[in-house]
C-alpha cells in the first residue's frame, strides 16, 4: 500500500530565506503528485500538480520537483514571507478511482 | 466562481445522533470524495463516487454513509455507529481522469461530539 512521508515540522525561519520541503513515497508507480497548502482550520489549497512524466512545475516563488524512480518530491519556496506560514501537504495518486494518498504535512513558521 | 461549498462550517453532535454534512460543487466534476483529518494525521479517505448513483468505500467507511443522487452533491452522514466522529471533514472533487487535472477541496466542516 502506498505510504507518503513528510517531516512533521520545520524549524521556524526568518523571512527571506529559501526553503526546501521534502516528501517521499513508497510506491513509484504514481500517476501524479500534488502539493497543497492548509491554513489553520481551513481547507486545502492546491499549489502545484506534477504529472508522472514531468520533472518539475513552477508557480511564482514555488517550484516542485519529482523524482519518481527514487520516490521523492521537493517543494522549494523562494524568498519566504510570513504569509507562507502554513502546513504543506504532499499527496500522490496512482491514477485509479480512489483519490489521493496524503502525507501528514509539514508545518512551517516564517518569522517576520 | 466555481468551487466546492461545504456546510455547515461547524457542527455539534450529541451521542447517538446522526448528522449530515453537505458538499456541493459547481465545477462540473464527475468524481467526488470525502476525507477525514485528525490532528497530527494525514487525510484519510472515507467514501468516493465516480458517477451519480454509484459510490465506493474508502479506508475508513465504517460508521459513515453517503449518497450521490445529483452530480453536484455528495452528502456525508455520520451515523451513531461512528464511535469517534470528532474530526475535520473535507470534501473534494475532480474530473474523471482526475489524475490529469488534480483535485479541488472545500473549506471543511469541523464536527464535535458534545
Amino acid at each position: 500500500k502506498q505510504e507518503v512521508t513528510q517531516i512533521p515540522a520545520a524549524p521556524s525561519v526568518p523571512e527571506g530565506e529559501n526553503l526546501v520541503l521534502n516528501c517521499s513515497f513508497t510506491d513509484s508507480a504514481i500517476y501524479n503528485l500534488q502539493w497543497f497548502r492548509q491554513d489553520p482550520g481551513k481547507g486545502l489549497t492546491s499549489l502545484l500538480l506534477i504529472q508522472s512524466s514531468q520533472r518539475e512545475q513552477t508557480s511564482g516563488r514555488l517550484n516542485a520537483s519529482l523524482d519518481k524512480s527514487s520516490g521523492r518530491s521537493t517543494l522549494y519556496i523562494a524568498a519566504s514571507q510570513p504569509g507562507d506560514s502554513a502546513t504543506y501537504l504532499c499527496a500522490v495518486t496512482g491514477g485509479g478511482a480512489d483519490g489521493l494518498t496524503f502525507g501528514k504535512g509539514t508545518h512551517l513558521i516564517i518569522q517576520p | 466562481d466555481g468551487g466546492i461549498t461545504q456546510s455547515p462550517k461547524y457542527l455539534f453532535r450529541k451521542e447517538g445522533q446522526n448528522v449530515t454534512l453537505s458538499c456541493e460543487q459547481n465545477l462540473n466534476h464527475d468524481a467526488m470524495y470525502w476525507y477525514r483529518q485528525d490532528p497530527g494525521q494525514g487525510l484519510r479517505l472515507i467514501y468516493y463516487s465516480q458517477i451519480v448513483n454509484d459510490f465506493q468505500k474508502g479506508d475508513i467507511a465504517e460508521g459513515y454513509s453517503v449518497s450521490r443522487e445529483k452530480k453536484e452533491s455528495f452528502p456525508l452522514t455520520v451515523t451513531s455507529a461512528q464511535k469517534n466522529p470528532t474530526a475535520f471533514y473535507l470534501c473534494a472533487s475532480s474530473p474523471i481522469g482526475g489524475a490529469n487535472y488534480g483535485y479541488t477541496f472545500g473549506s471543511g466542516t469541523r464536527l464535535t461530539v458534545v
Side-chain angles (χ1 to χ4, degrees):
Chain A
K1 182 178 177 179
Q2 179 74 267
E3 292 185 4
V4 180
T5 302
Q6 297 180 256
I7 297 174
S12 63
V13 295
E15 66 176 307
E17 289 200 5
N18 300 327
L19 301 173
V20 175
L21 305 181
N22 292 305
C23 169
S24 62
F25 45 94
T26 55
D27 186 349
S28 62
I30 65 167
Y31 201 80
N32 67 31
L33 183 145
Q34 197 165 356
W35 282 94
F36 295 90
R37 168 185 172 139
Q38 186 176 31
D39 293 291
K42 306 293 185 183
L44 274 60
T45 300
S46 179
L47 298 174
L48 289 164
L49 170 70
I50 310 178
Q51 305 286 359
S52 62
S53 59
Q54 298 173 322
R55 298 284 294 184
E56 65 178 327
Q57 282 286 339
T58 298
S59 176
R61 293 184 294 108
L62 304 178
N63 174 276
S65 66
L66 174 63
D67 184 343
K68 247 184 66 168
S69 61
S70 67
R72 295 179 185 276
S73 176
T74 297
L75 179 66
Y76 177 84
I77 304 174
S80 59
Q81 303 171 357
D84 294 330
S85 299
T87 296
Y88 291 82
L89 293 155
C90 168
V92 300
T93 177
D98 57 351
L100 295 159
T101 301
F102 281 86
K104 295 182 180 180
T106 296
H107 183 56
L108 199 58
I109 298 175
I110 311 299
Q111 300 170 340
Chain B
D1 287 336
I4 298 179
T5 301
Q6 290 189 241
S7 63
K9 187 176 175 71
Y10 300 98
L11 187 58
F12 298 91
R13 191 193 95 165
K14 296 180 181 178
E15 294 285 348
Q17 188 179 41
N18 292 354
V19 292
T20 297
L21 286 60
S22 171
C23 177
E24 303 276 337
Q25 55 99 358
N26 61 2
L27 298 166
N28 198 32
H29 286 172
D30 291 291
M32 297 186 74
Y33 310 82
W34 275 105
Y35 289 88
R36 170 178 171 145
Q37 186 177 34
D38 295 282
Q41 301 271 342
L43 277 71
R44 292 181 290 169
L45 183 65
I46 304 173
Y47 268 99
Y48 61 99
S49 168
Q50 296 288 298
I51 57 173
V52 173
N53 292 323
D54 188 49
F55 46 83
Q56 284 75 43
K57 294 181 178 179
D59 298 321
I60 55 166
E62 185 174 352
Y64 300 97
S65 66
V66 293
S67 63
R68 187 84 186 278
E69 297 177 1
K70 298 186 301 182
K71 184 177 181 179
E72 301 79 16
S73 179
F74 192 40
L76 173 73
T77 296
V78 184
T79 74
S80 57
Q82 172 50 242
K83 298 307 178 188
N84 184 24
T86 295
F88 191 51
Y89 291 86
L90 287 157
C91 179
S93 72
S94 71
I96 284 289
N100 286 324
Y101 308 104
Y103 297 77
T104 301
F105 280 78
S107 57
T109 292
R110 184 163 301 280
L111 174 62
T112 304
V113 174
V114 296

